[in-house]
Structures are given as structure tokens and as C-alpha cells.
């Protein structure tokens, strides 16, 4: 089974539907995971995605905030959603892809949008930051609860809102006290990865000593010149899918598109047998 998977924090799917269409025409993904769709489920532009060739759609929506959607050319056997912190936020949707491989564990794709955490990296002064830490702890607990690590076939993608490595930010030293790269966040992400021996697909294709970014602030007048980026978007797989992600690209050019998101898409090509 071969397929192309893309993940993109679109920052309002209805506002940027034309950019999604442009991206799909150029890159032809088989499965597209979107975060921050910022609409309720009945407002999601299903007809437009069906016209793009995605008849299989799973959405978790919320009015004006958050929201994730997975659209697919591959049939979906099952759709589910979790509320890890019990706050009613639309931050997760999972689907089981019909890969046609009889006798294998299900191939499950999880699409997450982890809380950004506000601006102050203090859980006492900033409840949003505490919420983010709680969410990361809940993610680790959920992940660790899965048994049979060697057999579980799972892919986890999305805007995880943490830049875990020093090379995942433009300045490790200057961002140690900036939300998304603080030790409480990066340490929790390391625990989440270790909880099920997740594979960081992006860093399998780009060495950890090299800079790798997926987000550039709207505040930067010329994002290419300043290049003050962070890697907030991720693709993970379980050990059972070791080697299945045969290629990976970060589509930096989309950051130059008019009225674009501050995140760029990440693509990975999979070959699963």
C-alpha cells in the first residue's frame, strides 16, 4: 500500500479553502489532515473536498476555535474522537484506513491539535499554559496505555505546538522561556514520544543537528530573511511502521502565498506492506 499523507494547520479552512485547493492540485495527497479549521462540523465545506477527490471525511468541529479534519481518498473503516482533558475542545479525530492488508493490526491515523498555551510560561499565572501541560500529560498517559508496541500500527500527525529540539527553533537560548520551547513542554514531549517508542518521522529524514521549521510568525516582516521559525507540526509513527515513511518534505513555499497560514504543510510518502 502506497499513499501520500499531508498535515497542515490551515488557520480557518473556509477562509483559506482556495489555498487548500491549490495545494491539493500541486501535491496530490491521498490523505490530508487539517488543524484549526475553526468551524462547526455542519459548516465544514464537504462538497468542496469531495470535488477535490476526497469522498471520505472525518471532522471534529467547534465554533470559531480549534477543530480538526481528516479527508481521504482511501476508504475509512472507522472514525473516533477523544477529549483528553474533558474540556469539550475539538482537538482530535482518528480514522482507520482501509489498507486491504488482511491479518494485520488496524492502520490508525490520529490527527491532533495541541493547545498553544498562551504567552506566559507560568502555569500559575497562565491557565492556558497549565492546560497545555495537562494535555501533554494526558497524551502520554493515553499513548502508554496501548499494549503490544511491536504490533500497533499508528500514525500521529498534527500541530503539536511544541518545538522539542534545539534545532527546532531559530534560537534555542532565546526561546527557552518562550511558550512552545520551554523545558516543561519539551520534557513532556520527550516523555510522550518514549511512552510508545514513537518514531519522529521528520527527524528520520532531516538529521537532528540541522534546523527544521514549519511555522513562522505573522509578525515577521520578511519571514525568509529573518527565518525565525519553529517546528510545531509533526508526524510520528509506531515501531511497527519503522521504515514505512519513505520520504518527507516541508512545503516552505506555501508561506509566501497570499493570505496564507503561519504554518506550512508537511508531507510524507508511505509504503506499507
Amino acid at each position: 500500500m502506497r499513499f501520500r499523507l499531508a498535515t497542515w494547520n490551515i488557520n480557518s479552512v473556509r477562509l483559506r479553502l482556495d489555498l487548500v485547493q491549490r495545494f491539493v492540485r500541486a501535491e496530490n495527497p491521498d490523505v490530508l489532515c487539517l488543524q484549526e479549521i475553526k468551524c462547526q462540523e455542519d459548516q465544514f465545506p464537504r462538497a468542496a473536498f469531495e470535488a477535490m477527490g476526497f469522498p471520505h471525511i472525518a471532522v471534529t468541529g467547534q465554533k470559531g476555535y480549534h477543530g480538526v479534519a481528516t479527508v481521504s481518498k482511501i476508504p475509512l473503516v472507522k472514525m473516533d474522537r477523544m477529549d483528553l482533558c474533558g474540556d469539550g475542545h475539538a482537538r482530535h479525530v482518528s480514522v482507520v484506513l482501509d489498507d486491504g492488508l488482511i491479518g494485520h493490526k488496524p492502520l490508525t491515523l490520529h490527527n491532533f491539535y495541541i493547545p498553544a498555551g498562551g504567552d506566559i510560561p507560568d502555569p500559575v499565572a497562565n491557565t492556558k499554559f497549565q492546560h497545555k501541560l495537562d494535555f501533554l500529560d494526558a497524551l502520554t498517559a493515553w499513548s502508554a496505555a496501548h499494549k503490544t508496541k511491536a504490533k500497533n500500527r499508528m500514525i500521529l500527525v498534527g500541530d503539536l505546538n511544541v518545538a522539542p529540539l534545539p534545532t527546532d527553533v531559530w534560537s534555542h537560548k532565546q526561546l527557552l522561556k518562550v511558550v512552545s520551547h520551554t523545558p516543561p513542554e519539551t520534557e513532556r514531549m520527550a516523555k510522550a514520544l518514549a511512552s510508545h517508542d514513537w518514531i519522529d518521522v521528520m527527524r528520520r529524514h532531516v538529521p537532528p543537528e540541522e534546523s527544521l521549521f514549519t511555522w513562522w510568525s505573522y509578525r515577521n516582516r520578511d519571514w525568509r530573511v529573518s527565518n525565525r521559525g519553529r517546528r510545531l507540526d509533526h508526524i510520528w509513527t509506531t515501531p511497527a511502521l519503522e521504515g514505512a515513511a519513505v520520504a518527507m518534505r516541508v512545503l516552505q513555499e506555501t508561506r509566501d502565498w497570499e493570505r496564507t497560514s503561519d504554518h506550512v504543510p508537511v508531507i510524507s510518502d508511505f509504503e506499507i506492506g
Side-chain angles (χ1 to χ4, degrees), residues 105-125:
K105 285 271 190 175
L107 179 56
T108 306
L109 171 61
H110 294 276
N111 181 2
F112 276 98
Y113 173 52
I114 287 180
D119 296 325
I120 303 171
D122 182 339
V124 176

Side-chain angles (χ1 to χ4, degrees), residues 5 46 61 70 94 116 122 137 139 161-162 181 183 191 193 206 236 268:
L5 171 65
R46 288 177 177 269
T70 297
S94 69
D122 182 339
D137 288 339
L139 177 68
N161 262 316
V162 180
H181 191 61
K191 289 179 181 178
L193 277 163
V206 178
W236 300 353
S268 186

Side-chain angles (χ1 to χ4, degrees), residues 83 107 156:
D83 184 1
L107 179 56
L156 188 156

Side-chain angles (χ1 to χ4, degrees), residues 155-174:
I155 304 171
L156 188 156
V157 307
D159 177 5
L160 305 188
N161 262 316
V162 180
L165 302 181
T167 48
D168 289 334
V169 293
W170 64 272
S171 173
H172 171 59
K173 184 177 180 180
Q174 294 185 66

Side-chain angles (χ1 to χ4, degrees), residues 3-268:
F3 63 94
R4 173 165 290 178
L5 171 65
T7 179
W8 192 5
N9 178 321
I10 194 59
N11 193 13
S12 179
V13 67
R14 292 178 295 173
L15 180 63
R16 296 185 168 87
L17 184 58
D18 59 328
L19 301 187
V20 177
Q21 292 167 329
R22 178 178 175 181
F23 169 73
V24 168
R25 286 195 300 269
E27 300 298 336
N28 194 30
D30 297 293
V31 185
L32 173 59
C33 296
L34 299 171
Q35 301 87 39
E36 261 198 298
I37 60 173
K38 294 185 177 180
C39 66
Q40 294 174 307
E41 291 162 29
D42 60 356
Q43 297 171 322
F44 187 80
R46 288 177 177 269
F49 279 94
E50 290 169 353
M52 284 184 251
F54 299 105
H56 311 287
I57 299 172
V59 182
T60 301
Q62 184 174 341
K63 185 178 181 180
Y65 296 94
H66 319 314
V68 290
T70 297
V71 300
S72 178
K73 297 176 182 177
I74 302 168
L76 305 180
V77 179
K78 181 182 177 182
M79 175 264 199
D80 201 0
R81 64 190 74 184
M82 292 189 296
D83 184 1
L84 283 180
C85 284
D87 53 17
H89 290 180
R91 295 188 178 276
H92 169 266
V93 67
S94 69
V95 297
V96 175
L97 300 174
D98 185 3
D99 60 6
L101 298 175
I102 305 299
H104 288 260
K105 285 271 190 175
L107 179 56
T108 306
L109 171 61
H110 294 276
N111 181 2
F112 276 98
Y113 173 52
I114 287 180
D119 296 325
I120 303 171
D122 182 339
V124 176
N126 176 13
T127 57
K128 291 182 178 179
F129 189 68
Q130 181 63 64
H131 179 224
K132 182 176 189 176
L133 300 183
D134 291 343
F135 197 101
L136 289 167
D137 288 339
L139 177 68
T140 299
W142 162 81
S143 173
H146 288 83
K147 308 301 181 184
T148 61
K149 291 183 181 182
K151 295 182 178 181
N152 288 330
R153 301 193 309 157
M154 295 190 291
I155 304 171
L156 188 156
V157 307
D159 177 5
L160 305 188
N161 262 316
V162 180
L165 302 181
T167 48
D168 289 334
V169 293
W170 64 272
S171 173
H172 171 59
K173 184 177 180 180
Q174 294 185 66
L175 270 70
L176 277 172
K177 295 184 179 180
V178 175
V179 174
S180 77
H181 191 61
T182 67
E185 297 166 275
T186 58
E187 290 167 6
R188 279 171 169 80
M189 178 161 279
K191 289 179 181 178
L193 277 163
S195 67
H196 203 67
D197 297 335
W198 292 96
I199 297 165
D200 182 347
V201 167
M202 297 177 71
R203 283 304 184 182
R204 286 295 176 91
H205 292 273
V206 178
E209 60 269 18
E210 294 184 18
S211 296
L212 183 60
F213 309 146
T214 65
W215 174 91
W216 292 262
S217 173
Y218 286 131
R219 297 173 185 174
N220 295 336
R221 288 188 176 183
D222 190 328
W223 72 274
R224 284 192 180 274
V225 172
S226 63
N227 198 28
R228 294 189 171 190
R230 307 177 203 177
R231 180 171 72 116
L232 303 180
D233 306 271
H234 298 262
I235 299 176
W236 300 353
T237 68
T238 47
L241 296 176
E242 173 71 62
V246 296
M248 189 282 300
R249 287 183 293 138
V250 177
L251 279 291
Q252 289 192 14
E253 59 269 25
T254 66
R255 190 62 179 80
D256 286 321
W257 292 358
E258 188 175 355
R259 296 184 304 106
T260 193
S261 172
D262 45 2
H263 294 254
V264 300
V266 182
I267 291 175
S268 186

